[in-house]
Amino acid sequence: MHFTRAIAAAIIVTISTAAAAETPLQREIAVWNAVKSKRLAEFKASMSPDFVGMYSWGTDNRAEELKIVHDQTLHSFALSKFRAVPVDPDNLLVTYFADVRGVEDGNEFSGRYSNTTLWHRDGGKWLTVYHGEAKGK
């Protein structure tokens, strides 16, 4: 009887742990939701101090990325064709499309963007080291 309870308890703990595990897609969606909701502290905490962003206008660092997000309003986003490729145990490359709609500098923007993010695990926490996007034609 005790053996059966122990197995059941182990299964419940395993299922709970698996359900609580954060997938690469969940991490990426959490960052997008932080941007949309203007939770800048959460957005900043998702990025490595040496973050690099690559965009049509050039590159930026974490501070510049935070200013961009602060100054724009993201109304909606939808991610598709999400793919995660492990580089090694502590680095993960993700690619996907993001269909977005928002406002920046008083001008509305929308469209499909191709995105690439490199996540690095540092001390057990996943941080964005690199993010790049290009608007589709």
Side-chain angles (χ1 to χ4, degrees):
M1 178 112 169
H2 295 292
F3 182 69
T4 305
R5 284 187 189 163
I7 291 173
I11 290 170
I12 290 168
V13 169
T14 302
I15 291 170
S16 298
T17 303
E22 188 178 63
T23 68
L25 178 57
Q26 289 169 326
R27 274 195 300 276
E28 204 69 40
I29 289 172
V31 171
W32 280 87
N33 278 325
V35 168
K36 183 179 177 197
S37 300
K38 298 280 192 188
R39 295 188 311 263
L40 296 180
E42 184 179 328
F43 180 57
K44 180 179 180 180
S46 74
M47 293 186 292
S48 168
D50 55 352
F51 170 86
V52 175
M54 174 63 82
Y55 306 100
S56 60
W57 63 84
T59 61
D60 61 23
N61 60 31
R62 186 165 77 169
E64 293 163 333
E65 190 82 357
L66 287 165
K67 181 172 178 1
I68 290 166
V69 168
H70 177 269
D71 294 345
Q72 72 179 2
T73 300
L74 180 63
H75 293 301
S76 66
F77 70 92
L79 308 185
S80 62
K81 297 197 177 187
F82 190 87
R83 183 171 178 225
V85 179
V87 176
D88 60 38
D90 292 321
N91 292 286
L92 184 69
L93 180 69
V94 298
T95 59
Y96 58 93
F97 293 109
D99 293 295
V100 301
R101 190 176 61 77
V103 176
E104 185 172 22
D105 297 328
N107 299 310
E108 291 190 14
F109 64 86
S110 65
R112 174 168 279 190
Y113 292 79
S114 300
N115 291 266
T116 305
T117 306
L118 179 61
W119 289 89
H120 174 71
R121 184 170 30 206
D122 185 13
K125 182 176 180 182
W126 286 98
L127 299 173
T128 304
V129 174
Y130 168 84
H131 179 80
E133 62 185 31
K135 187 170 184 179
K137 295 182 181 192

